[in-house]
Structure formats: C-alpha cells, structure tokens
Amino acid sequence: MAEEKKLEFGNEDGDSAEINLQPKQPAPEVEEVSEIDTAAELEQLKADLSAKDDRIARLQADFDNFRKRTAREKSELAAVIEQAFLKDLLPLLDNLSRATQAAENADNNDVEILRKGIEMIRQETAAVMGKHGLEPIETLGKPFDPNYHQAVGAVKDDTKEDGMIFAELQRGYIARGRVIRPSMVQVVRN
C-alpha cells in the first residue's frame, strides 16, 4: 500500500491546516472499442427495437380486434334477450286484441265476461314480467323509504304513525334488485 503523507501549514493567526498527500492512483484502463464492434452492437439494438415495435403493433391490433369482437357479441346478446322478451309478450298482445274485439261486439250482459278476460290478461302480464325479473314494490302498511317510494302527497290520519304509507297511487317495480320505477304514494303526516 502507498504511504500517506501529511503536511501541516501554519499561518500568522496561529491556525493550522493539514493536507493529506496520497500517491496518485493510476487511472482505470479504458478498453479500446473498435468501430466494428460498435456498429454491430448498433445494428443489433436497431433489430431489437424493430422487433419490439412489431410486437407492440401486433398486440395493439389484437386488442382492437378483441374490443370490436366483444362489442359485437354484447350487441348480439342484447338482441337475443330482447327478442326472447318480445316473444314472451306476443300472447299478451293476442289476448288484448281478442278483448278489444269482444268489447266492440259485446252487449251489456257481456261486461262481466270482458272484465274477467282483462283481469286474466293483467295476471298473465304480471307473470311474464316476473319471469324476466320484475317484482312489484310493496307499499301499503310499510314505512316510507325514499329509495323505493316517491311521495306525491301527505294525508292526516290519527290512526297511523307518521311516515307510514297511506295509499299507493302508482305501483313501483324492481328488476333484479334495481328500482325501475318508484311507487308513487301518499304518506301519513300528523
């Protein structure tokens, strides 16, 4: 190892400074790179970059194709679901047509038969809607809930608690856990 030398200097104020003298370290050897190696390495890097650019372009094209295919499949699925729903509604339309014809040709004696026919159509409609996930929102005797009910009026009724639903003016529905239409109700306010 090289020896370390120290020099001490003093100045007029009595301060001193110390300097460490170390022998000079030899500079690390630099490898000489030939122009041929550099050019070959540069060509290799260009080829690698070109390959990666091609790969990125292919991945982007694959993703675009996937996105378009997914959108097309989603649209086709929605059409199939819509067609199945409409097919389920066709018997209701047929029954309403029959009821309309019966009403046009009915005598006063046939009013009760017509009323029963319309009630059957209503029940069939509710069954078809239920098959597709539609459920009515229960209101009467329940407390008002703004998530399911829309208050359109208040009624004073000493026999019921405040905030209870007094009357349902329009039925609300839920489909698969989501409110499709809130029930329009009158709420007790005493």
Side-chain angles (χ1 to χ4, degrees):
M1 281 232 135
E3 290 183 24
E4 191 175 290
K5 294 182 183 178
K6 293 183 183 181
L7 290 179
E8 244 180 78
F9 292 98
N11 63 12
E12 298 164 1
D13 296 336
D15 292 338
S16 65
E18 193 175 288
I19 298 176
N20 288 331
L21 296 176
Q22 295 179 358
K24 201 171 191 183
Q25 301 281 333
E29 292 184 30
V30 176
E31 290 183 30
E32 291 197 25
V33 178
S34 70
E35 285 186 31
I36 297 172
D37 291 343
T38 305
E41 189 176 322
L42 181 60
E43 288 302 316
Q44 179 63 36
L45 289 174
K46 283 181 181 179
D48 290 348
L49 181 61
S50 177
K52 289 185 190 234
D53 284 346
D54 289 345
R55 184 169 183 249
I56 288 172
R58 279 193 305 276
L59 286 173
Q60 191 169 18
D62 287 346
F63 180 73
D64 286 343
N65 291 338
F66 171 76
R67 188 175 41 81
K68 289 174 186 175
R69 184 177 66 245
T70 303
R72 185 176 55 248
E73 288 171 356
K74 186 177 176 182
S75 175
E76 289 171 359
L77 180 62
V80 167
I81 291 170
E82 186 177 67
Q83 290 168 356
F85 181 68
L86 291 173
K87 184 178 178 185
D88 287 344
L89 290 178
L90 288 177
L92 303 174
L93 186 59
D94 294 339
N95 289 337
L96 285 172
S97 295
R98 288 185 200 108
T100 303
Q101 287 175 347
E104 290 173 358
N105 301 327
D107 295 334
N108 289 338
N109 300 337
D110 295 334
V111 172
E112 183 59 25
I113 295 171
L114 182 62
R115 189 195 66 72
K116 287 180 181 178
I118 292 173
E119 176 59 24
M120 288 172 52
I121 293 170
R122 189 196 66 74
Q123 290 173 353
E124 188 177 357
T125 303
V128 168
M129 298 295 197
K131 175 181 170 186
H132 290 278
L134 192 71
E135 302 172 24
I137 297 173
E138 296 300 323
T139 57
L140 295 178
K142 305 278 183 183
F144 176 77
D145 183 348
N147 295 314
Y148 298 101
H149 310 122
Q150 179 181 357
V152 293
V155 175
K156 185 173 182 175
D157 185 350
D158 295 332
T159 63
K160 296 183 181 179
E161 292 181 39
D162 273 357
M164 295 301 286
I165 294 174
F166 178 77
E168 178 182 67
L169 304 176
Q170 184 180 47
R171 181 146 280 202
Y173 293 94
I174 297 173
R176 309 215 189 280
R178 299 182 98 175
V179 175
I180 299 298
R181 180 177 76 189
S183 297
M184 292 174 62
V185 296
Q186 290 180 323
V187 182
V188 175
R189 292 280 178 234
N190 291 323

